[in-house]
Amino acid sequence: IGGISIESSTFSPHVSGDEAFTERRGDVLIGYYPFMEPGSELREAADWVPLLQARSLPGGAVARETYERLKAEILAGIAEQGPFDAFYFDIHGAMSVVGMTDAEGDLGSAVREALGADTFVSTSMDLHGNVSRTLLDMSDLITCYRMAPHEDHWNTKQRAIFNMLERLRSSVGSDVDARRPYKAWLPVPVLLPGEKTSTRIEPARTIYAEVPASEARAGVIDSSIWVGYAWADEARCQAVVVTTGDDVEAIREETERLGKLYWDARDDFAFVADALPLAASIDAALASNAASDARPYVISDSGDNPTAGGAGDVSWTLGQLLARPEFADGTINVVHASIFDAAAVAQAVAAGVGATVSLEVGGRVDGGPSGPVAITGEVFSITEGDSDAGTQVVVKAGGVHAIITERRKPFHHIADFTQLGIDPNSMDIVFVKIGYLEPELYALTTGEAATGSTPGERWKLALTPGGVDQDLLRLGHSHLEPGVFPFDPNGAPELRAVITRRTADGIETI
C-alpha cells in the first residue's frame, strides 16, 4: 500500500510543504482503513505491506522537494520489501507539484517501474482527480468516488482492494496476463467545479446513478466517472470515464454511453445552491431572517475554500462583513470561519480573553483583492490544541465573530464551532469557507434549526475571490486541451473510447 493524496490549486500562491502532510506507515497505515481491522476478511486475504501514504488538506502546489522525498520513500520501500503480487495505489488524482504538469502520472510511472511488469496495480481516487493516459497505463484497475460530497470514500477504497483481490484469485496458473482486465478510457472535454457537479442534484444525480448499472453488466468489473479538477491549469484536467472488464464490447459501450450522458448534460450543470455575489448573498440572508424566525442562514465563502485548494487566508469577505452597517451594533450575530494567521492569533492570545485588540488579519499568503484586513474587537475565546488548526481565537467586532486559526483548517462540523464557544444554531448568519456544504452544515439549512424551510432554502453560495474562484473563466486557464467546455464552448468531440490492457509485452491497444 502506498500513495500521495492532495488536491492542489495552481491558482493559489500557497505551497504545500512537509508540514502539510500527515504521513502514515506500517501499522498506523494499515489501521487507517476501517475495513482492514484485524480478523476482517480483507485483512486476512493477503500479507499486507503498508509502505507510506501521505495525505494533505487541499492547498497550493506541492513543493518539489517534499514530493521527491515522499516519492523516494515509496520507491525505496518497494525495492526493499518487494517483490509484490499486487500494489494498492491510494491517491487523490489532483496533485500538482511545482514544475510538473502530471504529478500522479510521474509518481505512477515510477511506482510501476519499481514494481515491475508483473505486479497487479489497483488505484483508487477522488472523483475530482484527473486520469491521464500515463496514470491509466500504470494501473490495472482504477476507480473513484461516486458521491459528492464524498460520503462513499471508504467504500471506494474498499472496492478497489476487493476487486484487486478478486483478480488475483482469478488468475490461471502462472499466467499473469490472465488477471489483467481491459480498460476503456474516454476523456470528455468538460471541466466544471464540484459545486456544479454535486451528486445531490441533477444532472449529476441521474448520471452517477447509471454507474452501478454499468458495473452490473456481464463482463464489467468497475465503471467510474471523474469530474476532473477545475482549479489546475494542466492539459490532463477534464472529465474522464473509465470502465474495466473482460468483455471489450461491453466496456466500450458502457464507457461511451456514460461519456455521452455527461457531455450531453454539459449545459445543464448548475450550482448546488443559488450562486450570487457576496453583497447579494448577505442581502438575501438579512431578508430571510427578517421574514422568519428560523436560524441560521448559511453562506458559502467559496473562493478561498481550503478543502478545494484555497490558501485559507483571503480576508476580503471578512472586510466586507466588517463594513456592513447592519452588523456594527451587535444586534445581528454572524460568524465567519475562517482565516489562518499565526501572527494575529499570537497577538490575541497575548492580550487574553475579554481584551480589546486591533489586528491585521489574513492576506499574507494570498492577498486577494484586499490584503490584510483591519479588525478591532474583543477577544471572545481562545482555544488551544486543535490537531489541524493549532490555537484558535475568536475576535468579536460588533456582531461579527471572526475565527482566526494558527494553521489552515476546514470547518465542516458543528463541533468545529462549539469548541470555540460558538453555537451555529444561535447565529443569524454562518459564513464558512466551503463550496457545497458537508452533511452537518447542510443540516443547518434543513433541520430543526430551519424549521419550515425546504432543503437548501437558507443557503447561498457566494461568488468570492480566491484560488478556487467558482467563476472559472476569470482565472485565466491557458494549458487545457482544445475544446474543453466551458472554456471553448464550440467543441464537438467524437467520444470514442480507447481500449487498452497491460500485458507482459507492454500496453496493448485494441
Side-chain angles (χ1 to χ4, degrees):
I1 303 172
I4 305 174
S5 180
I6 183 174
E7 192 174 50
S8 310
S9 169
T10 62
F11 296 101
S12 170
H14 177 260
V15 175
S16 300
D18 290 358
E19 77 291 338
F21 286 89
T22 298
E23 301 175 19
R24 296 181 174 91
R25 304 170 177 85
D27 290 342
V28 174
L29 175 52
I30 199 73
Y32 170 63
Y33 303 99
F35 49 83
M36 295 281 275
E37 63 272 11
S40 66
E41 181 181 357
L42 291 183
R43 180 68 174 267
E44 299 302 319
D47 294 324
W48 298 98
V49 183
L51 301 178
L52 167 67
Q53 208 280 337
R55 186 175 183 84
S56 172
L57 180 72
V62 178
R64 187 64 175 262
E65 56 270 24
T66 295
Y67 168 72
E68 296 293 352
R69 176 182 64 81
L70 297 172
K71 172 184 171 183
E73 181 175 338
I74 293 171
L75 299 181
I78 293 171
E80 293 164 6
Q81 301 192 60
F84 303 115
D85 294 297
F87 188 87
Y88 171 46
F89 196 34
D90 187 359
I91 61 175
H92 181 286
M95 172 172 63
S96 292
V97 173
V98 175
M100 302 179 70
T101 58
D102 182 6
E104 277 90 1
D106 177 82
L107 178 63
S109 295
V111 164
R112 170 54 77 184
E113 183 176 359
L115 291 169
D118 288 348
T119 302
F120 191 95
V121 175
S122 182
T123 300
S124 71
M125 300 171 63
D126 191 301
L127 64 81
H128 297 123
N130 307 294
V131 184
S132 68
R133 177 65 190 270
T134 302
L135 180 60
L136 178 85
D137 284 348
M138 72 81 57
S139 305
D140 294 293
L141 288 174
I142 187 166
T143 192
C144 71
Y145 307 154
R146 297 170 180 175
M147 298 177 71
H150 308 317
E151 298 169 62
D152 65 330
H153 66 290
W154 290 122
N155 176 268
T156 298
K157 296 175 190 294
Q158 185 175 10
R159 181 173 69 249
I161 289 175
F162 178 85
N163 286 341
M164 176 178 73
L165 292 170
E166 285 291 286
R167 297 305 289 188
L168 293 178
R169 291 164 175 157
S170 70
S171 60
V172 180
S174 59
D175 184 2
V176 174
D177 284 351
R179 304 171 176 174
R180 304 189 188 281
Y182 292 96
K183 297 170 289 186
W185 175 72
L186 176 59
V188 182
V190 175
L191 185 60
L192 298 170
E195 286 69 24
K196 279 191 172 182
T197 51
S198 171
T199 58
R200 283 179 177 154
I201 63 171
E202 299 297 349
R205 179 164 56 189
T206 293
I207 293 171
Y208 274 85
E210 290 298 312
V211 173
S214 290
E215 181 183 271
R217 184 170 171 178
V220 174
I221 299 169
D222 183 88
S223 200
S224 296
I225 304 172
W226 283 259
V227 170
Y229 183 64
W231 296 291
D233 189 14
E234 298 172 357
R236 63 180 178 148
C237 297
Q238 59 182 309
V240 166
V241 181
V242 178
T243 305
T244 52
D246 297 310
D247 185 326
V248 170
E249 288 311 308
I251 66 170
R252 184 196 308 277
E253 289 171 8
E254 291 305 317
T255 296
E256 293 178 358
R257 182 176 73 87
L258 293 176
K260 186 174 188 302
L261 285 174
Y262 200 91
W263 171 256
D264 288 348
R266 64 192 182 281
D267 285 313
D268 300 328
F269 289 99
F271 284 114
V272 70
D274 290 339
L276 301 171
L278 178 63
S281 298
I282 296 172
D283 290 343
L286 292 172
S288 177
N289 286 350
S292 169
D293 292 332
R295 297 292 187 276
Y297 203 102
V298 180
I299 296 178
S300 294
D301 181 4
S302 65
D304 191 37
N305 174 10
T307 56
D313 83 327
V314 175
S315 53
W316 179 82
T317 296
L318 177 61
Q320 297 297 302
L321 299 182
L322 295 170
R324 292 285 298 223
E326 298 94 333
F327 306 145
D329 62 4
T331 57
I332 299 175
N333 285 299
V334 304
V335 58
H336 180 265
S338 62
I339 294 172
F340 90 96
D341 188 325
V345 168
Q347 286 180 261
V349 170
V353 173
T356 298
V357 292
S358 293
L359 307 174
E360 294 284 326
V361 178
R364 304 181 195 279
V365 176
D366 189 342
S370 65
V373 163
I375 181 172
T376 296
E378 174 191 351
V379 180
F380 177 84
S381 69
I382 298 172
T383 307
E384 298 179 340
D386 186 88
S387 59
D388 293 319
T391 300
Q392 304 174 85
V393 301
V394 179
V395 176
K396 183 177 182 295
V400 176
H401 299 68
I403 298 175
I404 310 166
T405 63
E406 185 179 9
R407 300 189 296 268
R408 299 170 73 240
K409 176 185 175 174
F411 280 69
H412 289 173
H413 305 288
I414 300 302
D416 294 331
F417 295 88
T418 56
Q419 70 171 330
L420 309 181
I422 293 175
D423 178 7
N425 293 291
S426 68
M427 289 283 147
D428 294 294
I429 309 175
V430 173
F431 290 85
V432 64
K433 286 188 174 180
I434 199 169
Y436 53 65
L437 299 180
E438 295 295 329
E440 288 187 24
L441 298 179
Y442 189 67
L444 287 176
T445 74
T446 63
E448 292 181 1
T451 302
S453 298
T454 57
E457 181 181 354
R458 301 184 55 76
W459 172 30
K460 290 291 183 285
L461 192 150
L463 298 173
T464 54
V468 290
D469 194 328
Q470 295 290 331
D471 186 346
L472 300 182
L473 298 185
R474 68 186 180 188
L475 282 171
H477 291 74
S478 60
H479 294 90
L480 300 179
E481 292 287 350
V484 174
F485 178 89
F487 305 88
D488 181 355
N490 298 315
E494 289 187 28
L495 298 179
R496 294 289 295 168
V498 175
I499 311 295
T500 66
R501 186 176 69 141
R502 173 172 287 278
T503 72
D505 299 323
I507 304 300
E508 175 188 10
T509 302
I510 307 301

